[in-house]
Amino acid sequence: SRANLLINSEPIYCNSSVNMSRPIVKAIAPDGQLTDVTYAKYNDTGGSAVTTYVGYSFSGVSLTVGNTYTASVFVKPFGNGITDFIWHNFGNYNGRGDFEFLQENSTAFAAGTGGTSNASYAIEYVGNEWYRLIHTWTHQSGDNTSWYFSPSRQSTYANIGDNFSGALMWGIQLELGPHVTSYIPTTSSSVTRGSDVIEFTDTSWFKHDEGTFYAEQLVTNITKLNQTAIAVYDGSYASQIGIGLGTGGLYDKNAWYIQTQSSDQIFKFGSALTVGDVTKGAGAWGYNNSYAAFDGVASTVDTSVYVTPAIEKIRIGQSASGGAIGDTIIKKIAFYPKALSSDELVALTEA
């Protein structure tokens, strides 16, 4: 599970500004809905002001020194040559980020002085000229619990002064942990989203005689068993096929397994993982054989495998037995109705 610690995530109520205004306007947000968004725009004074921003202060959030946090916000730049978005946390200057808008080729990098080695940045183009800016840092003594946002051009604070240029802002989020997750809207209080678990019983697409599963996961916990990405199984859990972390007693490794009538037939493991790794695993089965690949490395081939046709259910994000719920972030799952070759599995799981 993950929580958005900030309240009133949309629209974003910026509490201060210098040489900019911050009205709330109607616009199409990244979720496709016409809604209220914050319009951070330059005023009409012009001149050479070097301090030009809108400010946002945390409300009711206490950050702990030494903890790692991830913040994100959606922005849509427009107007007179807006090419950058400067996101600045004053105090120790821990985490001044300069985000450059180039759509699919967008970049994010640290600028300024002090503390920036303690932070990382990312930018994602999400469509319709909206970007998601992502900032991860380990909180230090002296860091302020406020941010300053400045749509800019050529990485400067210079005042454009046209009473129009700037950026729309929407969907602000602060999470405890080193990775961003999908947006969690909030109103008057923080919101915790439970882990996503999906179970369905339509197995008409499943072929027990051959097939391939693929899973890509972001590792966030290596101390928990049975962090299953996907499993198919019979009603009794005696027969199942699955892929995920923490299976077979190994907490920090990805695994591919096949079990029939409570008897383990296949257990294949990848290399040891650490928190923050993105791991790709794939397993295939065909007539009397099975094999796997993890992060571009092939396993050995087992030549005596039977997959029961009595598969009744599919579960994503939880072990087949309905017990442990995985903490990993599942980035992609795929099923192929044929047994891909070992070489194909290697290519599929390479970085």
Side-chain angles (χ1 to χ4, degrees), residues 28-330:
I28 302 297
D31 63 358
Q33 302 298 310
L34 179 64
T35 189
D36 289 336
V37 302
T38 303
Y39 179 12
K41 67 173 181 175
Y42 284 84
N43 61 22
D44 58 3
T45 58
S48 58
V50 295
T51 303
T52 307
Y53 62 80
V54 295
Y56 175 87
S57 294
F58 302 170
S59 177
V61 177
S62 177
L63 302 187
T64 302
V65 171
N67 280 356
T68 298
Y69 297 91
T70 298
S72 58
V73 63
F74 296 89
V75 302
K76 182 175 183 176
F78 61 89
N80 186 7
I82 299 296
T83 59
D84 294 75
F85 194 94
I86 296 172
W87 180 344
H88 198 174
N89 178 359
F90 288 149
N92 282 346
Y93 290 84
N94 173 32
R96 168 179 163 177
D98 184 356
F99 299 85
E100 189 174 55
F101 301 115
L102 296 171
Q103 292 191 9
E104 285 83 355
N105 297 317
S106 301
T107 59
F109 53 92
T113 58
T116 54
S117 62
N118 203 40
S120 61
Y121 312 86
I123 184 169
E124 297 177 355
Y125 180 63
V126 298
N128 194 27
E129 300 179 347
W130 282 94
Y131 300 79
R132 193 179 195 189
L133 313 185
I134 303 164
H135 173 200
T136 298
W137 78 99
T138 299
H139 200 62
Q140 299 179 2
S141 178
D143 288 346
N144 287 349
T145 54
S146 58
W147 291 319
Y148 298 86
F149 301 107
S150 180
S152 64
R153 48 185 179 180
Q154 299 178 348
S155 303
T156 70
Y157 286 107
N159 191 352
I160 297 172
D162 61 2
N163 199 31
F164 171 72
S165 299
L168 301 180
M169 301 168 56
W170 179 87
I172 198 165
Q173 183 155 303
L174 176 65
E175 306 172 68
L176 175 62
H179 312 290
V180 70
T181 61
S182 55
Y183 172 57
I184 306 169
T186 66
T187 53
S188 59
S189 62
S190 63
V191 173
T192 298
R193 178 184 54 215
S195 300
D196 294 323
V197 175
I198 302 172
E199 182 180 82
F200 50 100
T201 57
D202 179 6
T203 59
S204 58
W205 50 270
F206 182 76
K207 296 177 63 177
H208 78 279
D209 53 343
E210 67 171 333
T212 301
F213 277 121
Y214 168 85
E216 181 179 349
Q217 302 168 88
L218 174 63
V219 181
T220 62
N221 187 339
I222 56 171
T223 63
K224 187 175 185 178
L225 287 176
N226 298 322
Q227 299 191 75
T228 305
I230 184 170
V232 296
Y233 58 99
D234 64 5
S236 67
Y237 315 116
S239 299
Q240 55 183 295
I241 303 171
I243 191 167
L245 271 68
T247 302
L250 299 179
Y251 291 81
D252 61 346
K253 293 185 178 182
N254 210 346
W256 163 249
Y257 59 90
I258 297 177
Q259 184 182 68
T260 301
Q261 298 303 315
S262 301
S263 175
D264 295 336
Q265 294 197 71
I266 300 293
F267 264 107
K268 301 294 183 183
F269 298 98
S271 299
L273 300 164
T274 60
V275 171
D277 288 343
V278 174
T279 180
K280 300 177 180 179
W285 68 95
Y287 177 72
N288 229 15
N289 62 50
S290 178
Y291 38 87
F294 299 99
D295 303 311
V297 179
S299 73
T300 57
V301 178
D302 284 84
T303 57
S304 180
V305 176
Y306 171 73
V307 175
T308 177
I311 296 298
E312 297 180 2
K313 296 181 180 180
I314 299 97
R315 180 169 280 155
I316 296 173
Q318 187 180 30
S319 62
S321 63
I325 296 176
D327 288 340
T328 63
I329 297 173
I330 300 174

